[in-house]
Amino acid sequence: KAGVTQTPRYLIKTRGQQVTLSCSPISGHRSVSWYQQTPGQGLQFLFEYFSETQRNKGNFPGRFSGRQFSNSRSEMNVSTLELGDSALYLCASSPATGGITVWYGYTFGSGTRLTVV
Amino acid sequence: KQEVTQIPAALSVPEGENLVLNCSFTDSAIYNLQWFRQDPGKGLTSLLLIQSSQREQTSGRLNASLDKSSGRSTLYIAASQPGDSATYLCAVSGGYQKVTFGTGTKLQVIP
């Protein structure tokens, strides 16, 4: 059973540019969550998608956005990059079902290391 | 608001020692608790998931317990090895897919 696949693994971007990160969840998992991890702030929740709908959102500016496709693959986009956006971006897949609120745990991808220069 | 604390923040032990990592949470109305390890620069690897109806889970040298009434979980690592060196995080959810992570315990096992 394939795990969670995140691409690319590494990215270097310049301030002001935009970036798109991709996440393919475990087959059959319909919930995809995104996290930002930095040494100073730890793991920060960005958003969660289920069946192409954003279900939860963290406390990040509107420059951070995401979407989910019908095959459950998800992308997140960061526009107008700032130096402070340099971080490890992690995607987590979960076997959530609609209408049920219970969390059944995460399987994480290896992450995308974004460096903004 | 749920708060999850992991103490100590860092721990250094000699190889072969048995050790316990702690995870405390303020709201006992949780569904599940999950323990992860993270190696530097890598993603999180799931170790154990304890459902709210369970008291403990075991996998190899790892044993995790859950006491909802006291708001505590412990991860017991038997016969520690240098390969166990990593940061260990716990995560809890009270529902609606809202997950709260602890700040982690950085473990170093010295050969």
Side-chain angles (χ1 to χ4, degrees):
Chain A
K1 184 170 170 179
V4 179
T5 303
Q6 288 190 248
T7 56
R9 288 296 311 278
Y10 302 94
L11 266 178
I12 300 176
K13 290 286 188 178
T14 304
R15 263 185 310 174
Q17 286 187 312
Q18 75 163 18
V19 67
T20 299
L21 312 182
S22 178
C23 173
S24 293
I26 289 174
S27 177
H29 286 195
R30 295 162 66 188
S31 171
V32 174
S33 299
W34 288 90
Y35 285 83
Q36 181 196 67
Q37 188 178 38
T38 59
Q41 298 292 321
L43 271 169
Q44 305 267 310
F45 173 72
L46 282 155
F47 26 66
E48 184 237 351
Y49 284 87
F50 176 83
S51 288
E52 303 178 64
T53 300
Q54 187 181 89
R55 209 158 55 163
N56 286 304
K57 189 177 189 307
N59 216 13
F60 278 80
R63 300 185 298 107
F64 291 82
S65 63
R67 59 178 174 169
Q68 186 180 34
F69 302 95
S70 58
N71 61 358
S72 294
R73 190 177 72 86
S74 177
E75 290 181 347
M76 68 162 282
N77 185 276
V78 187
S79 62
T80 319
L81 283 166
E82 301 177 358
L83 295 178
D85 297 332
S86 295
L88 180 65
Y89 289 87
L90 293 165
C91 164
S93 165
S94 181
T97 57
I100 295 177
T101 62
V102 177
W103 173 67
Y104 292 104
Y106 282 148
T107 301
F108 278 89
S110 298
T112 294
R113 168 72 62 184
L114 172 65
T115 302
V116 182
V117 298
Chain B
K1 179 187 169 191
Q2 178 76 272
E3 292 182 6
V4 182
T5 305
Q6 293 185 247
I7 295 173
L11 181 63
S12 185
V13 300
E15 181 178 2
E17 191 163 296
N18 301 326
L19 59 102
V20 174
L21 305 181
N22 297 297
C23 172
S24 299
F25 44 94
T26 54
D27 186 349
S28 62
I30 66 168
Y31 281 108
N32 298 316
L33 183 146
Q34 191 171 12
W35 281 93
F36 298 90
R37 69 171 279 168
Q38 186 176 30
D39 296 289
K42 303 288 180 63
L44 279 69
T45 300
S46 177
L47 297 173
L48 291 163
L49 174 69
I50 309 178
Q51 297 181 29
S52 60
S53 57
Q54 299 173 318
R55 296 296 300 268
E56 65 178 84
Q57 278 281 358
T58 298
S59 176
R61 295 183 294 109
L62 306 179
N63 176 277
S65 67
L66 174 62
D67 184 346
K68 285 175 56 178
S69 61
S70 66
R72 286 193 63 198
S73 176
T74 60
L75 178 66
Y76 173 83
I77 302 176
S80 58
Q81 303 170 357
D84 295 330
S85 298
T87 297
Y88 290 80
L89 297 112
C90 63
V92 301
S93 176
Y96 298 99
Q97 303 296 314
K98 291 191 184 297
V99 179
T100 304
F101 279 84
T103 48
T105 295
K106 186 172 183 179
L107 172 66
Q108 182 183 26
V109 180
I110 303 167

